[in-house]
Amino acid sequence: MAYPILEIVGLQKRYGDNTILKGVDLSVMSGELVCIIGPSGSGKSSLLRCCNRLESVQGGQILLDGEEVTRFDIDLNKLRQKIGMVFQSFNLYPHLRVLENVTLALRHVKKLSRKDANAKAVDALTKVGLADKLAARPGELSGGQQQRVGIARAIALDPKVLLLDEPTSALDPELVGSVLSVMKSLKGFGITMLVVTHEMGFAHEAADRVVFMDGGVVVEEGPPQQIFNAPQQARTREFVGRYTKGH
């Protein structure tokens, strides 16, 4: 039985006088792949950054598996083991090998032995199709492979939710597909994902639900078929219309 693993209620985020999130409500079910789409500046990335407390919030609350993550005394280290984040830039340590990049948090944050950390890292790297690159350094990999190492590093911690913020936007177009197909395969492992993306084809094809944000609010959400083929709101129609014209 699926239940909401991540609940966002009335979330507000301001930078000075500029209100970025104006009372966002969103639930993500366990095992679900939810894509957030919308124009630049609509608050999509800020929403993700609030979820793992890279940003403070000014109102509302976020619950992860029933625990409030927006309370002031939350242990951020523990929280970030439960809610993984993959960024646009790969953030790998260039001097460390792939295996070491993935085991670092397992050993220093989760305090696993080298043997257990290595086993978890190899499992995660196998899931993203890089079991043959354990000894490579990031500079020897393509951008797509580096991003897949970033995903492996996040899932090795067994997070309850994986947040992905435009994970393909820094990649050359021909490398995008490999990362998107890995994200699709992770869904098969039951990993819950909340993805900010401008890859409309991926959202259309892989998401269980698509959320359209604009101006700091959720304008519309629903199954991909509804959002792309029969949107209810004029703003959604206008936004997805630009995408469907190109296809």
Side-chain angles (χ1 to χ4, degrees), residues 127-173:
K127 282 180 176 148
V128 301
L130 290 174
D132 58 336
K133 298 289 184 191
L134 305 181
R137 294 189 200 278
E140 298 163 17
L141 303 177
S142 71
Q145 288 170 327
Q146 289 185 57
Q147 187 59 294
R148 282 150 59 195
V149 174
I151 293 171
R153 179 177 54 189
I155 64 171
L157 291 164
D158 293 324
K160 292 176 188 279
V161 178
L162 185 59
L163 308 171
L164 299 107
D165 186 13
E166 297 273 15
T168 57
S169 67
L171 300 179
D172 294 334

Side-chain angles (χ1 to χ4, degrees), residues 163-227:
L163 308 171
L164 299 107
D165 186 13
E166 297 273 15
T168 57
S169 67
L171 300 179
D172 294 334
E174 67 270 20
L175 301 175
V176 168
S178 67
V179 173
L180 296 179
S181 65
V182 158
M183 287 159 60
K184 274 188 231 165
S185 71
L186 293 183
K187 197 179 154 207
F189 294 111
I191 295 173
T192 308
M193 286 177 278
L194 183 58
V195 185
V196 167
T197 186
H198 59 275
E199 296 289 339
M200 298 298 153
F202 173 74
H204 199 168
E205 192 184 315
D208 294 302
R209 200 152 40 99
V210 176
V211 176
F212 172 62
M213 281 183 72
D214 193 13
V217 296
V218 171
V219 175
E220 185 171 353
E221 60 170 290
Q225 293 71 15
Q226 176 198 315
I227 298 297

Side-chain angles (χ1 to χ4, degrees), residues 6 26 43 53 56 71 73 93 102 130 135 138 140 142 152 162 167 182-183 216 227 234-235 243:
L6 183 67
L26 180 65
R53 291 291 304 276
S56 57
R71 61 171 215 270
D73 59 345
Y93 293 101
V102 179
L130 290 174
E140 298 163 17
S142 71
L162 185 59
V182 158
M183 287 159 60
I227 298 297
R235 275 194 291 174
Y243 154 71

Side-chain angles (χ1 to χ4, degrees), residues 49-55 69-71 74 76 79-80:
R49 293 172 70 85
C50 288
C51 286
N52 83 338
R53 291 291 304 276
L54 284 168
E55 300 278 359
V69 305
T70 33
R71 61 171 215 270
I74 189 96
L76 290 177
L79 171 67
R80 288 177 187 146

Side-chain angles (χ1 to χ4, degrees), residues 49-119:
R49 293 172 70 85
C50 288
C51 286
N52 83 338
R53 291 291 304 276
L54 284 168
E55 300 278 359
S56 57
V57 305
Q58 277 71 50
Q61 53 177 191
I62 300 168
L63 301 167
L64 178 66
D65 209 6
E67 181 186 17
E68 188 185 340
V69 305
T70 33
R71 61 171 215 270
F72 70 93
D73 59 345
I74 189 96
D75 181 332
L76 290 177
N77 258 341
K78 284 210 171 103
L79 171 67
R80 288 177 187 146
Q81 292 176 49
K82 295 179 195 164
I83 189 156
M85 184 103 174
V86 176
F87 301 90
Q88 299 178 16
S89 54
F90 319 128
N91 297 341
L92 301 177
Y93 293 101
H95 61 291
L96 296 181
R97 298 184 189 282
V98 164
L99 184 66
E100 295 162 336
N101 265 287
V102 179
T103 56
L104 203 59
L106 291 168
R107 294 184 60 209
H108 296 285
V109 180
K110 283 215 157 172
K111 307 292 186 208
L112 296 187
S113 69
R114 184 184 292 271
K115 182 183 169 200
D116 290 347
N118 283 355

